[in-house]
Amino acid sequence: MSALEVTFVTADRTVWTGQAAQVVVPAVDGSMGILPQMQPTLAILGTGSVRIISQDGHVEELSVEGGFVSVDSDVVTIGVDDAKPVESGDSRI
C-alpha cells in the first residue's frame, strides 16, 4: 500500500512528520482529501482542522487558520502560521 510522506510545519517548529494513509485539509473552497497517487496540487488553507490519518488508523487532528498545502509525488507539505490540537472525545474516523 502506498503512503504519503507528510511534513506539517509552522514558522518556528515542525508540527508533524511521517507517513500517512490520508490527509484532510480545510482548503478555502472546501474540505480536501489527499490520498496516495494524487495529482500535483497547491491549495490555500482556510480555518478548520487538518486531519492526518496514519496507516494503522490513528488520527492526528490540529486546528489551523490559513496556510497552504502542496502535494507532489506522494509528498505532502503543509505550512501554517500556527496549529493547535483539537480537543475531542473520539478522533477516530
Side-chain angles (χ1 to χ4, degrees):
M1 179 179 195
S2 294
L4 299 166
E5 291 294 330
V6 180
T7 302
F8 185 0
V9 297
T10 67
D12 62 348
R13 67 185 170 101
T14 299
V15 176
W16 196 93
T17 187
Q19 291 191 336
Q22 179 181 359
V23 177
V24 180
V25 296
V28 291
D29 55 353
S31 182
M32 182 172 81
I34 301 166
L35 295 169
Q37 301 179 2
M38 182 172 167
Q39 291 290 334
T41 303
L42 179 63
I44 297 170
L45 301 181
T47 299
S49 295
V50 171
R51 290 184 305 175
I52 302 169
I53 299 98
S54 68
Q55 302 263 19
D56 66 1
H58 174 77
V59 178
E60 185 74 32
E61 189 170 9
L62 296 124
S63 176
V64 299
E65 293 182 18
F68 74 92
V69 62
S70 169
V71 182
D72 191 12
S73 301
D74 291 341
V75 175
V76 179
T77 304
I78 302 167
V80 299
D81 287 333
D82 194 22
K84 298 179 181 172
V86 172
E87 301 297 326
S88 67
D90 185 6
S91 294
R92 302 287 272 177
I93 290 181

